[in-house]
Amino acid sequence: MRIKHTIRLPPDLSAKLADYAARKKVPQALIVETALASFLSPDGPERLEAALTRRLDRMTRQLERMERRVTISNESLAVFVRFWLTSTPPLPDAALAAAQSKGRERYDGFIEAVGRRLARGKTLDDEVRLDVVPRAECHDT
């Protein structure tokens, strides 16, 4: 047996309810009943907290992976810049224009190579993981 209730909703909430019911192709009463049951459920807050905790844990792991990748990228760039600055002599003024032209050409080739690597899905993170882990295993034995 069901008991009839009459409630008044603000126009915007009523419109949202009607829209949701139409999209899901269910009666509005079912949506209200389900929402009330969920709201009044004694374990409702615990379920919500558990779901939020799982989501936050997943986001934390994603951020940790992203932080690791950024650290690898920064360190790779720092090592390259230090090496380049210590091993490249300054150019004489007469050779500067030709070197800049060649530099632009080489930079375009670099950008194309990066694009190809990204298109293949190959990343520095993957290479470091594949290269560093076996070396660490060799030193552990």
Side-chain angles (χ1 to χ4, degrees):
M1 178 173 139
R2 295 198 172 268
I3 300 172
K4 182 177 180 175
H5 290 269
T6 303
I7 59 169
R8 296 184 190 280
L9 298 174
D12 61 327
L13 187 56
S14 179
K16 288 178 184 177
L17 176 61
D19 179 56
Y20 186 80
R23 279 187 288 123
K24 296 295 182 179
K25 297 179 180 158
V26 295
Q28 292 181 24
L30 178 62
I31 295 169
V32 172
E33 182 182 337
T34 305
L36 277 172
S38 177
F39 184 78
L40 298 174
S41 171
D43 66 335
E46 288 82 14
R47 281 192 324 226
L48 179 60
E49 183 178 348
L52 287 173
T53 300
R54 284 191 305 273
R55 203 171 288 162
L56 285 172
D57 287 345
R58 187 178 66 240
M59 290 171 68
T60 298
R61 288 190 302 274
Q62 290 170 336
L63 284 172
E64 287 170 349
R65 283 191 303 270
M66 189 182 316
E67 180 182 23
R68 181 175 184 276
R69 290 174 178 153
V70 168
T71 299
I72 290 171
S73 296
N74 288 343
E75 290 303 312
S76 299
L77 180 62
V79 167
F80 171 77
V81 168
R82 177 176 286 157
F83 174 79
W84 184 83
L85 290 173
T86 57
S87 64
T88 305
L91 294 174
D93 289 341
L96 195 56
Q100 287 174 341
S101 174
K102 189 65 170 174
R104 281 189 291 276
E105 180 183 319
R106 292 173 68 190
Y107 179 76
D108 290 342
F110 168 76
I111 294 300
E112 288 177 24
V114 169
R116 284 192 304 272
R117 282 178 59 99
L118 290 174
R120 283 195 316 256
K122 189 172 187 172
T123 64
L124 177 64
D125 187 50
D126 296 331
E127 285 183 11
V128 168
R129 194 174 320 112
L130 292 173
D131 192 39
V132 171
V133 171
R135 288 183 185 183
E137 291 171 355
C138 290
H139 294 299
D140 290 342
T141 57

